[in-house]
Amino acid sequence: MIPDWKLERYLTGDLPDSEMREIREMEATDEIFAGRIKMMREDNRAILKKMPFERLSERLDAMPARSGNGLKGAGSNGAGNGVSFTLVKFATAAALVLAVVTVALFSQREIAVPAQSGAQVMDVAMADAVLAGDEGDTRIKGLEARIEVWKKTADSAVQMSNLDEAREGDEIQLRYLVPEKCFGMLFSMDGNGTVTMHMADDNKAIALEPGKMTTLPFAYKLDNAPKFETFYLFTSTNGFSINIDDIDALFKNKDVRQEHVTLRKVGGK
Amino acid sequence: MKGKNQADQIVLEGLYGKYAPMVYRRCFSMLKDDAEAQDMVQEVFLRIYERMDSLDLSQPSSLLWNTATRLCLNRIRDKHRHGVDVDSSELLLTIACADDEQESYEAKNILAKLFSREPESSRTIAMLHYVDGMTLEETAREVNLSVSGVRKRLRGLQAKLKNLEVK
């Protein structure tokens, strides 16, 4: 009999690999056990429906704003809200030029571009091919806009899930897909409140082409900011921009859709 | 709420979406009351949010499980002290009401200064081992202590439990 605490961690994927495999096998072969797991998964959905995050969010909003420590240089000055904005201006064209400079750092390419060399081809590129097929510019029905975060490994890359662990020095590659023509921007925010723009025209969203998974032509190396790094993809059918002094406005803009992936920062490299 | 607080909320939302059901079931199993368990889930996540700057978030399942355990033990103890009927097993009630020297150290912030990670109370350790059925090794991993450290803490609590029975 597997204790409750272990089952809970199986559901959240927080057990060591060997135990995950063991329990997964049991789920596949033991009908009664599989039924128990199924009920717990249904229970999860019911619980989140019964007590959505919005209820907690109301209490968070009612709390006095926290000052936040550990802010980086300019971010902790008298300006107040703790956000320093490292705006790395990467208009699409400029980013393509930059790609030439940074190609040694990380192998990347738009999905339609043939692979350069066998050793440099990443799993990312393979995934691109499967997703896009030969229909690079057609709308992919049923798909939502999404952002993917990949981490470079010694000879390949692995896709990171929300709340996966990452470390200082990890090389991150971002990819996105939009199901229809729209405007979008990509940026990240770290545990110090520092915002880094990865794809935009200055502070404006750029036009995005639909139907294919697009890999940004440069990698991003995580610094020593603590706790987390969250990557955002904001999209809208209309053009929009971000005000560096009021990022909240973007989060609250009902015309703008947001997708994000958060990596938890742990230890040093 | 701007910048960092906004970012922390986003992280909290991610944690909530993934772990709130687990926390709810933990709270419900200890408090045996839906409304109280729902309230406690909010308390747990608010506690995490308030301390996000100092907490080690590398093992969120352990952190949330143990925070829920500690807060539920406190709730049960407080209710018992106020003469409110508590629908708990004798073992759970005994653990909840045991004096915990560790917690008085924590209150004085002595250990919090010594360790970057918030130390777990001996009562939580007792819950993990005696009620949840974790082995000593699993308990030790869970609370970031050595096995001998866990044994020592449990022995200390056992002595106090005995005293409690004598009283």
Side-chain angles (χ1 to χ4, degrees):
Chain A
M1 181 76 172
I2 298 173
D4 288 344
W5 67 269
K6 200 169 267 191
L7 275 185
E8 295 286 6
R9 285 179 202 186
Y10 172 65
L11 288 179
T12 55
D14 287 324
L15 285 175
D17 289 345
S18 58
E19 290 184 66
M20 286 297 291
R21 266 197 306 277
E22 205 175 294
I23 299 179
R24 206 175 288 129
E25 202 168 295
M26 192 184 292
E27 188 185 356
T29 55
D30 183 335
E31 274 185 32
I32 294 173
F33 179 71
R36 189 178 168 201
I37 293 292
K38 189 178 171 210
M39 278 177 64
M40 285 179 81
R41 289 203 173 104
E42 286 167 0
D43 193 40
N44 280 0
R45 283 189 284 274
I47 289 168
L48 288 172
K49 198 172 172 189
K50 181 168 69 173
M51 31 188 282
F53 180 75
E54 286 66 30
R55 277 171 53 184
L56 178 65
S57 187
E58 285 164 15
R59 289 184 68 177
L60 293 175
D61 287 338
M63 290 170 70
R66 295 173 307 142
S67 56
N69 46 24
L71 294 176
K72 276 182 187 170
S76 54
N77 64 15
N81 66 17
V83 176
S84 63
F85 201 98
T86 310
L87 190 60
V88 186
K89 296 174 181 175
F90 281 135
T92 309
L96 288 170
V97 174
L98 186 68
V100 177
V101 180
T102 57
V103 70
L105 180 65
F106 206 72
S107 167
Q108 73 282 287
R109 62 191 61 77
E110 292 290 332
I111 54 174
V113 178
Q116 283 181 320
S117 78
Q120 293 275 312
V121 176
M122 301 191 309
D123 293 345
V124 174
M126 298 300 293
D128 282 339
V130 172
L131 275 167
D134 295 320
E135 301 176 282
D137 288 319
T138 57
R139 175 183 165 80
I140 300 178
K141 286 178 184 171
L143 276 185
E144 299 293 333
R146 77 167 194 262
I147 178 174
E148 287 183 2
V149 178
W150 291 73
K151 183 175 81 172
K152 186 184 179 187
T153 61
D155 55 357
S156 183
V158 291
Q159 186 175 359
M160 308 292 277
S161 299
N162 196 35
L163 298 178
D164 272 356
E165 292 182 356
R167 293 167 189 279
E168 177 187 356
D170 281 350
E171 288 177 34
I172 298 298
Q173 182 70 53
L174 301 177
R175 310 168 72 220
Y176 68 89
L177 178 148
V178 292
E180 58 194 334
K181 277 197 171 192
C182 64
F183 293 86
M185 65 171 61
L186 269 165
F187 65 85
S188 61
M189 186 184 287
D190 66 24
N192 286 333
T194 301
V195 174
T196 302
M197 192 63 80
H198 300 287
M199 183 186 74
D201 178 7
D202 201 352
N203 65 337
K204 295 190 187 71
I206 61 171
L208 302 180
E209 288 302 313
K212 62 181 182 180
M213 182 58 76
T214 302
T215 303
L216 294 200
F218 51 87
Y220 175 63
K221 205 163 195 170
L222 295 180
D223 65 12
N224 62 355
K227 307 294 182 191
F228 65 87
E229 184 93 23
T230 300
F231 297 89
Y232 297 97
L233 168 64
F234 279 85
T235 57
S236 174
T237 48
N238 301 312
F240 64 96
S241 59
I242 184 170
N243 177 354
I244 58 170
D245 295 322
D246 187 9
I247 295 170
D248 266 8
L250 186 59
F251 282 92
K252 288 174 182 168
N253 185 341
K254 288 187 168 48
D255 294 332
V256 177
R257 185 185 165 85
Q258 179 225 127
E259 307 292 330
H260 66 266
V261 174
T262 295
L263 302 181
R264 288 183 291 121
K265 295 288 287 295
V266 294
K269 200 171 189 185
Chain B
M1 187 168 288
K2 290 184 177 181
K4 187 172 183 330
N5 288 344
Q6 177 78 52
D8 284 355
Q9 275 209 36
I10 296 287
V11 172
L12 193 75
E13 186 174 2
L15 290 171
Y16 188 91
K18 189 171 180 184
Y19 295 103
M22 175 193 83
V23 174
Y24 170 81
R25 281 191 288 266
R26 176 57 161 179
C27 295
F28 185 79
S29 73
M30 292 180 72
L31 301 172
K32 309 274 193 258
D33 183 274
D34 175 57
E36 265 200 289
Q38 286 194 45
D39 180 52
M40 190 56 81
V41 170
Q42 293 214 348
E43 291 301 320
V44 169
F45 281 93
L46 286 173
R47 183 68 64 99
I48 298 297
Y49 179 74
E50 283 167 351
R51 300 181 181 190
M52 212 172 250
D53 285 335
S54 60
L55 286 175
D56 176 3
L57 291 174
S58 62
Q59 293 177 301
S61 55
S62 295
L63 177 68
L64 288 160
W65 185 267
N66 296 344
T67 303
T69 303
R70 188 169 62 248
L71 294 182
C72 287
L73 285 171
N74 290 347
R75 177 74 61 93
I76 291 167
R77 180 191 58 198
D78 293 345
K79 282 170 74 176
H80 184 69
R81 282 180 181 168
H82 288 95
V84 179
D85 271 347
V86 181
D87 180 15
S88 300
S89 71
E90 199 174 331
L91 176 59
L92 178 55
L93 192 58
T94 309
I95 292 172
C97 295
D99 282 337
D100 192 342
E101 208 171 67
Q102 194 74 22
E103 286 187 343
S104 60
Y105 287 142
E106 280 178 46
K108 289 174 191 163
N109 211 18
I110 294 169
L111 286 173
K113 284 176 186 167
L114 294 177
F115 302 101
S116 58
R117 188 189 161 114
E118 189 172 351
E120 281 305 335
S121 74
S122 299
R123 296 185 309 148
T124 302
I125 291 172
M127 271 297 292
L128 300 178
H129 183 59
Y130 293 124
V131 180
D132 293 338
M134 288 188 190
T135 63
L136 285 173
E137 287 77 13
E138 287 166 341
T139 309
R141 263 204 308 274
E142 186 75 5
V143 297
N144 211 21
L145 282 175
S146 64
V147 171
S148 61
V150 168
R151 267 206 198 93
K152 196 173 165 191
R153 297 273 289 272
L154 288 174
R155 268 203 301 272
L157 196 71
Q158 274 169 348
K160 287 179 173 57
L161 294 180
K162 264 186 189 167
N163 289 339
L164 197 74
E165 281 167 13
V166 171
K167 284 176 193 172

